[in-house]
Amino acid sequence: LHLDTAIPAAEAGCHILMEKPVSDSLDGIADLKNALQQGGGSLLVGFQYRFHPSLGQVKKWVTSGEIGRVISFRAEWGDYLPDWHPWEDYRQSYAARKDLGGGVVRTLCHPLDYLRWIFGEASIRNAFVGKLSDLELDVDDHADVQLKFDENVEGTLHLDYYRKPGTHRLEVFGTNGMIEWKNETGAARIYRQEIDAWETYLPENDFERNTLFINEMKHFLAVSRGEEPSGCTLEDGLRVQELVEEILHHG
């Protein structure tokens, strides 16, 4: 239902902070783009992991060549769906229902965005998508995806709804070392081959999950005031949607 609200808001000139994914398909996204041009407002897609300080540090290490030429990566995010909102029946949640745009690929599409943010443009090599668990849902709960990025970086992304305990992490392998990021600890660390040692980056002591959303909102207000360009544009959201559709097609 995102576009049903966003298009008239954009036509009216509103600035929009839009939840991810932009929609459950590519239909209507061009209409939103035209509405934004007509109304003159800005749009920020809510991929909050762009505002994670440790992932930002990973991007800096990669961009500055701290581990040499990046060769490959491995990303995974598995989480047991019934534990997300234990106060409600998971079977009624949008994540578990096809009619509400659910499924693990659409719902956990954050890595598709932050991997593009770190490595550049992406293409899908291959994908397996399906339902493997005993969870009561009518959508995909498992995906294994092979991706290729600019500069010949290749890697894999795993997503699932059944991991106990859950994990969300990224490993990057280069010619002179490697980088690890773990959402569970909030930390990133880099192994430098030339000194045979690890270096750890930690966020500020008051960092918590909500920090991502606070940082995102501060940025959105700056975008609304015209002080900063959108850090995650509709084009970024559209590209993730295209990758999602391609993964589901492969699967």
Side-chain angles (χ1 to χ4, degrees), residues 85-122:
H85 298 162
W87 56 88
E88 67 181 8
D89 185 346
Y90 78 90
R91 294 168 294 187
Q92 300 305 312
S93 72
Y94 74 91
R97 291 172 54 181
K98 185 175 181 179
D99 64 322
L100 296 182
V104 75
V105 177
R106 290 191 177 96
T107 306
L108 298 186
C109 62
H110 286 283
L112 294 173
D113 177 69
Y114 65 66
L115 290 171
R116 287 186 63 249
W117 182 54
I118 294 171
F119 299 123
E121 198 47 77

Side-chain angles (χ1 to χ4, degrees), residues 1-241:
L1 302 177
H2 294 182
L3 295 179
D4 294 347
T5 302
I7 290 173
E11 290 173 342
C14 294
H15 301 292
I16 297 170
L17 174 56
M18 193 168 195
E19 177 61 295
K20 47 58 63 183
V22 172
S23 186
D24 64 335
S25 74
L26 298 172
D27 297 340
I29 296 179
D31 295 332
L32 174 58
K33 183 177 181 179
N34 292 334
L36 286 167
Q37 292 173 342
Q38 173 186 323
S42 299
L43 184 141
L44 175 69
V45 182
F47 282 111
Q48 74 268 12
Y49 282 94
R50 290 196 181 211
F51 299 90
H52 196 300
S54 296
L55 263 183
Q57 184 61 51
V58 170
K59 178 176 170 63
K60 290 177 183 177
W61 283 334
V62 167
T63 303
S64 61
E66 293 292 315
I67 58 170
R69 181 178 66 85
V70 174
I71 301 171
S72 66
F73 68 88
R74 180 169 58 218
E76 58 180 327
W77 190 354
D79 227 344
Y80 186 51
L81 179 60
D83 286 346
W84 290 14
H85 298 162
W87 56 88
E88 67 181 8
D89 185 346
Y90 78 90
R91 294 168 294 187
Q92 300 305 312
S93 72
Y94 74 91
R97 291 172 54 181
K98 185 175 181 179
D99 64 322
L100 296 182
V104 75
V105 177
R106 290 191 177 96
T107 306
L108 298 186
C109 62
H110 286 283
L112 294 173
D113 177 69
Y114 65 66
L115 290 171
R116 287 186 63 249
W117 182 54
I118 294 171
F119 299 123
E121 198 47 77
S123 59
I124 305 301
R125 289 276 192 148
N126 203 356
F128 169 79
V129 182
K131 181 183 182 301
L132 298 181
S133 76
D134 296 329
L135 293 171
E136 296 179 45
L137 35 76
D138 64 353
V139 292
D140 48 285
D141 64 7
H142 174 103
D144 280 306
V145 185
Q146 295 176 324
L147 302 105
K148 178 178 173 59
F149 287 79
D150 292 345
E151 307 301 328
N152 292 319
V153 177
E154 299 201 25
T156 61
L157 170 63
H158 171 86
L159 303 171
D160 74 64
Y161 274 166
Y162 49 77
R163 184 81 60 92
K164 293 183 282 187
T167 189
H168 183 187
R169 55 182 154 182
L170 170 66
E171 296 176 311
V172 185
F173 308 98
T175 54
N176 295 327
M178 67 172 290
I179 296 168
E180 290 182 344
W181 171 79
K182 292 185 178 181
N183 190 49
E184 299 96 288
T185 63
R189 64 177 192 156
I190 182 170
Y191 173 77
R192 304 181 191 274
Q193 183 182 26
E194 65 272 15
I195 59 174
D196 188 25
W198 288 91
E199 171 190 325
T200 300
Y201 173 90
L202 292 170
E204 298 294 329
N205 290 334
D206 60 351
F207 174 81
E208 60 180 2
R209 180 174 181 269
N210 199 43
T211 304
L212 306 182
F213 301 101
I214 293 173
N215 291 345
E216 181 180 62
M217 182 58 68
K218 288 178 178 178
H219 173 63
F220 175 63
L221 293 175
V223 169
S224 301
R225 293 191 294 263
E227 299 168 356
E228 298 176 7
S230 173
C232 191
T233 65
L234 177 59
E235 289 302 317
D236 291 315
L238 170 60
R239 187 63 192 122
V240 169
Q241 193 68 47

